[in-house]
Amino acid sequence: MKLSLFFTFLAAVSAFTTGPKAPKSSTALNMAKFRSAMQYVPCITLDQLPSPGSATSGVAGGLAICIAVDENGSVYALGDKCPPINQPLSFGKVANGCITDPVLGTAFDLKTGEVSGPWCPAGIGKLIGGAFTPEGVPVFPVKQSKGAIEVQVDVNAKFNFEANFWSGVLDAQGKADGKYY
């Protein structure tokens, strides 16, 4: 009995006296195998450029991009995944310096990507919006050259994301690299 009380006391003391250990993360975000390489890459051709007040989608460096044109003809590039449920932002309407998600009604600033106004104010957004923290969308520098709209992206982002997925044929132990456990 005395011995069990001693060990209980020892465990309680050690729980409050030892410093916290720094967590080790093994997520894909921290395990980049390729160095970041920011480059302008073609996203859409000039004939695919939407009319003022609308948007379209494109792909640049393996990333889904929303190309939006405001009422004055300025061109913006944003991530095409609209939070919180990742529907295409390129289906939205462009007005007053913002693009509005057509499903949930959230408006995103074209220059910063931040939420402008209420979070998920329309339709089903009123039901599910409260379950998520408001977050913006990424914005990318954009320029026109050689008959295309080019967007500056990390061309290695897709490679780094896919680097931790297995590929190839599985061996008898269920491993793709042929190594032993």
Side-chain angles (χ1 to χ4, degrees), residues 34 59-63 154-165:
F34 301 97
V59 176
L63 301 174
D154 179 5
V155 293
N156 288 335
K158 183 178 178 191
F159 297 125
N160 283 327
F161 178 77
E162 293 174 346
N164 293 314
F165 291 101

Side-chain angles (χ1 to χ4, degrees), residues 10-178:
L10 183 63
V13 169
S14 66
F16 292 105
T17 58
T18 59
K21 293 182 179 180
K24 290 185 178 180
S25 176
S26 62
T27 64
L29 296 175
N30 294 333
M31 298 180 63
K33 297 185 190 264
F34 301 97
R35 175 179 264 157
S36 178
M38 301 299 288
Q39 294 178 2
Y40 279 96
V41 294
C43 184
I44 62 171
T45 60
L46 289 179
D47 59 329
Q48 295 173 324
L49 191 65
S51 60
S54 58
T56 190
S57 61
V59 176
L63 301 174
I65 304 292
C66 168
I67 301 293
V69 181
D70 69 6
E71 301 91 350
N72 301 324
S74 298
V75 179
Y76 300 91
L78 302 95
D80 201 23
K81 300 293 183 192
C82 187
I85 55 175
N86 291 335
Q87 72 273 9
L89 185 60
S90 55
F91 292 159
K93 299 289 182 202
V94 179
N96 302 321
C98 295
I99 184 167
T100 304
D101 171 11
V103 177
L104 303 178
T106 305
F108 299 94
D109 187 276
L110 291 172
K111 293 179 182 175
T112 65
E114 296 298 318
V115 175
S116 177
W119 172 250
C120 300
I124 195 169
K126 292 179 182 178
L127 298 174
I128 65 170
F132 298 95
T133 304
E135 65 178 275
V137 294
V139 294
F140 303 96
V142 64
K143 70 177 184 178
Q144 176 183 338
S145 67
K146 300 178 187 171
I149 298 296
E150 295 185 349
V151 178
Q152 186 182 32
V153 296
D154 179 5
V155 293
N156 288 335
K158 183 178 178 191
F159 297 125
N160 283 327
F161 178 77
E162 293 174 346
N164 293 314
F165 291 101
W166 68 272
S167 61
V169 178
L170 298 178
D171 63 12
Q173 293 183 342
K175 299 198 46 107
D177 57 7

